[in-house]
Amino acid sequence: SQEENMNTGINSNGWKIIKRLLSLDEKSFNKPRILIDTKHMSINARMEFLEFIADYNKHRPESKKIPVIASHIGYSGWPSLNDALIETDNDDKYDKSLSEFNVCSLNVTDDEIRAINRSGGLIGLNLDQRILSGQKIIDNKPTLHNLEKVRKYWGNQLFKNITGIVKAVIDFDGSTISDKKSIWNRIALGTDFDGMIQPVEAFITAIDFSALKKELIDEFIYWPEFNRYNMGYSPIQLVDNILYKNAYKFALKHYK
């Protein structure tokens, strides 16, 4: 049973572990960090952790900041973590939602996205149908008899998650020009190929990524709002960043 302390914040032992991993206590100070992944944290725990990281990173140079990782998630569509908490997660919350996104609290909210962006972190998009989608998207998915249509459908849904994340920063009045440009460097793939339940059809292994790249490039080329949100990047640059460059650069910076 996982019921005990479920959906609560971080307890004292949790903070000890976090500080040890991040090299912030006496025994680990100045040693290499083990970065924290917020994916399986409750909303209350994420609130506490994001506040802690924002306070630590304040006035520190980029090279000293602690980045926040959300390794294999989707976009929730909620403006804030508080909004995502109003209704408890259950099957009805998902099944009866009219959103094209998964509104459950496991997915990132707009304010959370901005916090991850400011930390220099990374958001990995999960290639599980249910993580990326609301029930109505899954109900209306095409059959596998038409592979081209299936690729286009799920390429579009991944694209919607990408642009939802981007708009959370670029449309926010408090974002700087630097914030707006950097969000395109924070999005990667966090496929969950080793643990997903319902893979996005047509993109179920890395072999399919060349087809995924084509679909995403087309999505950006024909996106009516491209010139408003692209921040100077071309469609090919954006797709290359998302599919591999962002994760590669993050790994070089933090794990070399």
Side-chain angles (χ1 to χ4, degrees), residues 94 99-102 130 132-138 157:
Y94 179 82
S99 174
E100 58 193 355
F101 303 113
N102 185 326
R130 190 171 164 108
L132 288 180
S133 315
Q135 187 61 55
K136 71 175 185 178
I137 297 296
I138 294 178
Q157 187 60 21

Side-chain angles (χ1 to χ4, degrees), residues 158-186:
L158 179 60
F159 176 76
K160 289 176 183 175
N161 277 259
I162 292 167
T163 54
I165 289 168
V166 167
K167 289 180 178 183
V169 174
I170 294 180
D171 286 343
F172 180 60
D173 289 341
S175 293
T176 65
I177 294 298
S178 177
D179 291 334
K180 294 177 181 182
K181 191 172 180 68
S182 66
I183 188 58
W184 285 116
N185 301 319
R186 308 290 181 234

Side-chain angles (χ1 to χ4, degrees), residues 10-25 28 34 36:
I10 302 169
N11 63 26
S12 58
N13 284 331
W15 280 118
K16 288 178 182 177
I17 293 168
I18 286 170
K19 291 175 181 178
R20 177 67 55 85
L21 293 174
L22 293 176
S23 298
L24 297 178
D25 66 6
S28 64
I34 297 176
I36 308 298

Side-chain angles (χ1 to χ4, degrees), residues 8-253:
T8 61
I10 302 169
N11 63 26
S12 58
N13 284 331
W15 280 118
K16 288 178 182 177
I17 293 168
I18 286 170
K19 291 175 181 178
R20 177 67 55 85
L21 293 174
L22 293 176
S23 298
L24 297 178
D25 66 6
E26 291 181 0
K27 291 186 178 181
S28 64
F29 188 68
N30 274 342
K31 292 182 179 179
R33 294 170 179 159
I34 297 176
L35 298 176
I36 308 298
D37 182 4
T38 63
K39 159 66 184 186
H40 288 289
M41 286 187 185
S42 69
I43 284 189
N44 284 314
R46 277 146 59 197
M47 286 178 173
E48 292 178 7
F49 183 70
L50 291 172
E51 183 179 2
F52 172 79
I53 293 298
D55 185 63
Y56 178 87
N57 287 342
K58 194 182 301 181
H59 308 309
R60 280 185 166 82
E62 290 297 320
S63 61
K64 300 294 184 182
K65 288 183 177 180
I66 297 174
V68 176
I69 301 171
S71 66
H72 53 299
I73 51 78
Y75 176 59
S76 72
W78 291 112
S80 72
L81 288 160
N82 278 320
D83 288 315
L85 264 181
I86 292 172
E87 186 180 350
T88 303
D89 285 348
N90 53 48
D91 287 341
D92 280 350
K93 181 177 180 179
Y94 179 82
D95 295 339
K96 294 182 179 180
S97 170
L98 299 178
S99 174
E100 58 193 355
F101 303 113
N102 185 326
V103 297
C104 294
S105 65
L106 78 170
N107 278 343
V108 288
T109 63
D110 290 0
D111 59 346
E112 187 176 8
I113 291 163
R114 292 190 289 269
I116 294 171
N117 185 41
R118 286 192 297 270
S119 78
L122 197 65
I123 299 170
L125 285 169
N126 195 318
L127 293 187
D128 186 289
Q129 293 182 35
R130 190 171 164 108
I131 301 297
L132 288 180
S133 315
Q135 187 61 55
K136 71 175 185 178
I137 297 296
I138 294 178
D139 287 344
N140 293 312
K141 68 181 181 180
T143 67
L144 286 172
H145 297 298
N146 187 331
L147 182 58
E148 182 179 352
K149 192 172 182 179
V150 171
R151 284 176 172 168
K152 190 168 294 296
Y153 189 83
W154 287 113
N156 177 256
Q157 187 60 21
L158 179 60
F159 176 76
K160 289 176 183 175
N161 277 259
I162 292 167
T163 54
I165 289 168
V166 167
K167 289 180 178 183
V169 174
I170 294 180
D171 286 343
F172 180 60
D173 289 341
S175 293
T176 65
I177 294 298
S178 177
D179 291 334
K180 294 177 181 182
K181 191 172 180 68
S182 66
I183 188 58
W184 285 116
N185 301 319
R186 308 290 181 234
I187 307 170
L189 290 183
T191 61
D192 203 20
F193 277 164
D194 61 343
M196 68 166 59
I197 297 170
Q198 194 174 8
V200 167
E201 294 157 339
F203 307 118
I204 60 173
T205 73
I207 294 172
D208 301 309
F209 284 177
S210 58
L212 176 58
K213 179 175 181 176
K214 178 184 179 301
E215 293 301 332
L216 288 178
I217 289 173
D218 285 348
E219 290 288 346
F220 278 112
I221 288 173
Y222 296 108
W223 185 23
E225 298 178 295
F226 178 77
N227 289 329
R228 177 179 175 184
Y229 290 105
N230 71 317
M231 300 305 295
Y233 291 106
S234 71
I236 293 176
Q237 286 176 316
L238 292 176
V239 175
D240 280 347
N241 283 350
I242 293 164
L243 291 187
Y244 73 96
K245 285 187 176 179
N246 289 342
Y248 178 71
K249 289 178 180 178
F250 186 88
L252 283 183
K253 181 176 180 180

